[in-house]
Amino acid sequence: SCPVTLAQLRYVTVSFWGFDGKPHTGERVINRSYAADIVEVFAKLYAAKFPIEEMRLVTTADVDAEPAGDTNNTAAYVCRAAVGQTRWSEHADGRAIDVNPFQNPYVNDDLVLPELASAYLDRSDRRPGMIRSNDVVVKAFADIGWPWGGDWRNSKDYQHFSSSGN
């Protein structure tokens, strides 16, 4: 029942620097229209040695898990509704990526997701893996026309980049 077919998606692998300071290979599924662009974005992040904790395919167990924050997966395609809504998330189309969700939480009033990520709400406290305005992550995604959720007016989704900006 997802809004895209398998033919509209692509499996890609990219290199990334882990929090351990070592190179790793991550895997993701992304909308085929953006696969080459996303490889380019992560090549820029790799060149800048921007740390990413984890990058693997999302499982059913991930989708069903409580949003407590014991995972920090940089993920793309996930067949799910948008947070707190009934419409499809752009993740369900393979047109969105969340980067280091623990260091870059979603915030809407008192709601913080992942729930244990409140320590990262102070964006002036620079720590590895955090995304900040005009940094290499924001610029790399902007280069392919993907806006950052940290620039949203009402809620803030510091982990989120998508083709439409939603």
Side-chain angles (χ1 to χ4, degrees), residues 53 68-72 99-105 114 116-118 120 159:
E53 184 171 356
D70 38 354
T71 184
N72 198 22
V99 178
N100 290 337
F102 195 81
Q103 286 77 20
N104 302 293
L116 299 177
S118 294
Y120 289 89
Q159 62 195 271

Side-chain angles (χ1 to χ4, degrees), residues 98-149:
D98 290 342
V99 178
N100 290 337
F102 195 81
Q103 286 77 20
N104 302 293
Y106 169 84
V107 183
N108 190 353
D109 294 324
D110 292 336
L111 176 65
V112 177
L113 298 174
E115 293 170 353
L116 299 177
S118 294
Y120 289 89
L121 295 181
D122 178 1
R123 304 311 287 174
S124 66
D125 182 10
R126 293 178 181 234
R127 292 187 260 173
M130 289 177 68
I131 300 167
R132 298 175 43 86
S133 291
N134 298 314
D135 73 2
V136 66
V137 184
V138 173
K139 288 178 182 176
F141 278 100
D143 286 348
I144 65 164
W146 284 32
W148 178 44

